[in-house]
Amino acid sequence: MGDQIKRIGILTGGGDCPGLNSVIYGIMLKAYDAGIECIGILKGWKGFIENLTIPLNIADHDDLHTVGGTILYTSRTNPFKTNSSKEQVAKDLASKFEELGIDALVAIGGDDTLGVADALYKYADAKVVGVPKTIDNDLKGTHYTFGFWSAVQLASNSMDNLTTTARSHQRVFVVEIMGRDAGFLTMYSGISAGADIILIPETPFDLEKDIIEVLKNRVKSGYKHHIIAVSEGAYPEAESLKNDFKTISQDTINKLPKDTFGNPLLTHLKISQIIVEELNLRDDLKQEFNKNGVDYECRSVILGHTMRAGTPNSFDRILGLRFGLAAMKLIIESKFGNMVSLQGNKMETVPLSEGVKKKYITPDNDKMELRDLLVKIRYLSKQK
Ligand code: F6P
């Protein structure tokens, strides 16, 4: 069983985030204690295929859990993007274990990276376990992923800070926040910072109702500056796109380039800039601002990769270490094909096949109501 494991490989794939090094350090702590050697596989699945490895000697990495990013580098490499069958690719990949001299593998990544790990287990019975990673927090198998709360804090701080310049210039700021398919980052940071409008992918927005009307109501109630938090993946409703938008159409969205896993590269759309351009075309909005003694001015800010940058906060350091420790235990106990998971405040285990499914903000999530009240009640309560 576990005693045949002498050497393991660790890889990190997909977008980086604070806490990846904390996981690596957690794995190394437990591996050292169990007398198991660790090697790092560089650049995710790319390094696995191309034999790019480094030794991981724990004595060389004191306090690695405090450092942001990943010392193993990362890439978005999809080994299944070939003409061969999934089974064949998985079998070919599994033969790399011997070549790399590893008995088991810990894959740290999101749905794409862990999807590959799952196929390796399913089709080739490979000794692989997973650690869920996504800054967007959109993996079904765990309540939280490390890095998420660090990013929420960064975005919330940015919006707090932007408020002072928005106030000085009496401006509208449209702040674009990471989150390709799910709005957790935008929702949590937007509520935390008290953003005036919060737009997420799960609830496609109506330009007229959700933005123009709210801004008009806010200026009528005396507000002179406004912060709009928008997920990079927030889309307009189909009707609104057709009727209200002059600068983009459904065709623009359909033609977006895709990454190697087939995901549309929404950062190319720059929804915050599109919203600014659309608002700038609205004379009725400008007139409402002027009527209320405010010169209309609107700017966009894309937080982008600053949200994944820097050191992990304490929550993410500890969660990363706990995930690392739990993943190493899965290996020692031969519980392959699983990933570690945070349920409440407990470390649990879920099958990779379940864990990699996507998670979204659903209508019953209390943050939905909180958002709607936060947006509405402030201006309503001030109306004469
Ligand atoms: O999936 C995580 C994420 O941070 C998304 O929020 C964002 O769309 C994407 O990665 C950015 O990817 P890249 O680092 O390749 O530009």
Side-chain angles (χ1 to χ4, degrees), residues 15 76 135-136 178-180 232 267 305 308:
R76 293 185 194 274
I135 201 83
D136 297 350
M178 275 191 169
R180 202 154 45 179
E232 64 184 358
T267 38
H305 296 88
R308 299 208 310 236

Side-chain angles (χ1 to χ4, degrees), residues 58-88:
I58 194 159
D60 299 332
H61 295 284
D62 279 353
D63 305 323
L64 182 60
H65 63 295
T66 65
V67 182
T70 166
I71 54 165
L72 300 181
Y73 311 119
T74 185
S75 72
R76 293 185 194 274
T77 306
N78 182 0
F80 290 104
K81 217 181 159 206
T82 72
N83 292 328
S84 313
S85 70
K86 252 191 162 179
E87 286 84 344
Q88 192 52 52

Side-chain angles (χ1 to χ4, degrees), residues 8-14 21 24 39-56 61 70-77 100 102 105-106 108:
I8 65 150
I10 307 171
L11 65 80
T12 53
N21 280 331
I24 297 167
I39 63 160
I41 295 161
L42 304 180
K43 301 188 181 180
W45 294 115
K46 181 176 165 59
F48 190 80
I49 296 164
E50 296 175 9
N51 297 351
L52 308 173
T53 64
I54 53 164
L56 283 178
H61 295 284
T70 166
I71 54 165
L72 300 181
Y73 311 119
T74 185
S75 72
R76 293 185 194 274
T77 306
L100 292 165
I102 55 171
L105 174 73
V106 186
I108 310 169

Side-chain angles (χ1 to χ4, degrees), residues 213-249:
E213 261 180 42
V214 175
L215 288 176
K216 284 183 181 174
N217 277 322
R218 283 179 53 81
V219 281
K220 277 192 230 162
S221 302
Y223 290 103
K224 295 183 181 353
H225 63 273
H226 319 263
I227 302 283
I228 302 177
V230 58
S231 294
E232 64 184 358
Y235 287 127
E237 271 173 6
E239 276 301 291
S240 178
L241 183 58
K242 208 161 64 189
N243 302 330
D244 307 328
F245 281 76
K246 310 267 178 299
T247 63
I248 57 160
S249 65

Side-chain angles (χ1 to χ4, degrees), residues 119-157:
L120 257 175
Y121 173 73
K122 207 171 344 181
Y123 298 119
D125 208 18
K127 291 181 176 170
V128 55
V129 301
V131 175
K133 177 251 27 152
T134 153
I135 201 83
D136 297 350
N137 198 40
D138 60 352
L139 280 181
K140 204 171 187 169
T142 186
H143 283 169
Y144 287 112
T145 41
F146 53 87
F148 172 70
W149 281 108
S150 302
V152 167
Q153 192 68 61
L154 276 166
S156 176
N157 291 349

